[in-house]
Amino acid sequence: MGKVVGLSPDRRLLKLRVIGCGLGAAILLSACGNSSVVEAEFDPSEFAYQLFDEANRAREQAGLQPLELSECAQPFAEQRAAALVGMADLVHASLFDLNQSCRLAGGASGENLLRGVGTPQEMVEAWLNSPSHRDNLLNPDFTAGAMACVLDPEEAVPDHPETGDNGNYRVLCSHLFLG
């Protein structure tokens, strides 16, 4: 079974929530029950915390205020991260429900997704090297956000030369932005 994890508004780790393997996940994750071995080696909640922190560090280096953690947006980030499991391509879903529930009237919202192996620093660097992801990350109109990650244990990269913080396992994350 995969686990969806995220951050609490006070920047401590949020409790883990187990998500069952649905049909779509079962196709990609042929051995969903084996994730407990992986979870002992890699903590997606810690990775999400570090990734959110690293994204804020990039904002501060660009002269922007760090994002506040949005308690309202956190469940949406968790749902989005879970939805990435089994997807061949990362596809952005509508943020309509997020907008209705969390943002101020006239505000903006955005999302950065990732699938990869590496450190939080490498992941943020990849976002910064992509114009549309950079635009979200360094948008001064965004003032709050949420982050959640899912470990995809069957997507191991056995010969990855630099294991980084997440070992040789692929992580899927959703970073939501509110303004």
Side-chain angles (χ1 to χ4, degrees), residues 20-35:
C21 295
L23 179 60
I27 293 169
L28 183 64
L29 302 174
S30 60
C32 288
N34 292 338
S35 65

Side-chain angles (χ1 to χ4, degrees), residues 11-124:
R11 298 183 55 108
R12 288 180 295 199
L13 299 179
L14 186 67
K15 67 180 187 239
L16 298 178
R17 187 160 48 121
V18 176
I19 294 184
C21 295
L23 179 60
I27 293 169
L28 183 64
L29 302 174
S30 60
C32 288
N34 292 338
S35 65
S36 61
V37 174
V38 174
E39 290 160 3
E41 296 173 11
F42 171 66
D43 182 357
S45 61
E46 180 61 25
F47 188 83
Y49 175 82
Q50 292 172 4
L51 188 58
F52 191 82
D53 206 40
E54 190 62 32
N56 271 338
R57 193 173 352 273
R59 287 179 60 86
E60 289 173 329
Q61 289 174 350
L64 301 171
Q65 291 295 312
L67 297 174
E68 295 288 328
L69 199 52
S70 169
E71 185 174 342
C72 179
Q74 189 59 44
F76 292 96
E78 292 171 2
Q79 292 167 4
R80 289 293 300 131
L84 300 175
V85 175
M87 293 181 75
D89 296 314
L90 298 182
V91 177
H92 293 281
S94 169
L95 298 177
F96 180 79
D97 290 340
L98 171 74
N99 294 342
Q100 293 298 310
S101 298
C102 300
R103 75 181 178 130
L104 300 172
S109 63
E111 176 183 49
N112 283 351
L113 302 175
L114 74 80
R115 171 189 288 137
V117 175
T119 65
Q121 295 82 10
E122 292 168 332
M123 301 299 185
V124 170

